[in-house]
Structure formats: C-alpha cells, structure tokens
Amino acid sequence: MSTASKVVLTVSVVLTVSSVAGVHLKQAWDRERLREGVLRDLDRLQRKQQNLLEEQKVLTRQLEEERRGQEDRLHPQDT
C-alpha cells in the first residue's frame, strides 16, 4: 500500500467517524431541545390556567358585588 493510499484511507476514516459522531451529537441535542419545549409548554399551560382561575375569581367577586348592589337597591333596609 502506497503512502498516498494510506493518507486517503486515514482521511476517509477520520471524516466518516467525525460525520457519524456529529450526527449522533446533533440528534441528542435535538431530542433535548424537543424535551425542553414540551416542559416549557406544560409550564406555560399551567401559568395560563392559574391566570384564568385568578381572573375568574376577580370576575366572580365583581358579579357578587353587583348583585348585592342590585339587591340593596331593590330591597332597601330601614336603618
């Protein structure tokens, strides 16, 4: 085997191993990003649900106050 063929073989092996390792690392990185995206989505949904519950509580309080005000106007108490 000549020196040139040994160099070509070595370069080919190094490039092949580098390509395989690079693809493997990129796939691992992509999987981690996908997993983080799911976790971010779950956190966002939980925050949205909490915000909706808080908003619903505020609206319920406002409605109850309006109803009390209407009842007070319809049925004034003699004090």
Side-chain angles (χ1 to χ4, degrees):
M1 204 181 230
S2 69
T3 305
S5 62
K6 289 179 184 177
V7 169
V8 169
L9 178 63
T10 303
V11 169
S12 297
V13 169
V14 168
L15 288 176
T16 302
V17 169
S18 299
S19 297
V20 169
V23 167
H24 175 72
L25 291 173
K26 185 177 181 327
Q27 284 179 342
W29 182 71
D30 288 343
R31 273 194 303 270
E32 183 62 28
R33 284 193 62 218
L34 287 172
R35 184 174 164 273
E36 289 172 358
V38 170
L39 295 176
R40 276 194 311 269
D41 288 346
L42 291 174
D43 286 342
R44 187 174 54 239
L45 286 173
Q46 185 179 13
R47 283 194 313 272
K48 183 177 179 180
Q49 198 171 37
Q50 288 173 347
N51 289 341
L52 287 174
L53 287 173
E54 289 299 320
E55 185 178 342
Q56 187 176 11
K57 288 178 184 177
V58 168
L59 291 173
T60 301
R61 262 187 252 121
Q62 288 175 352
L63 180 62
E64 289 172 351
E65 289 172 3
E66 287 178 14
R67 284 183 180 169
R68 273 189 236 118
Q70 288 176 353
E71 287 176 5
D72 289 345
R73 277 180 272 159
L74 290 175
H75 306 291
Q77 295 180 1
D78 297 326
T79 50

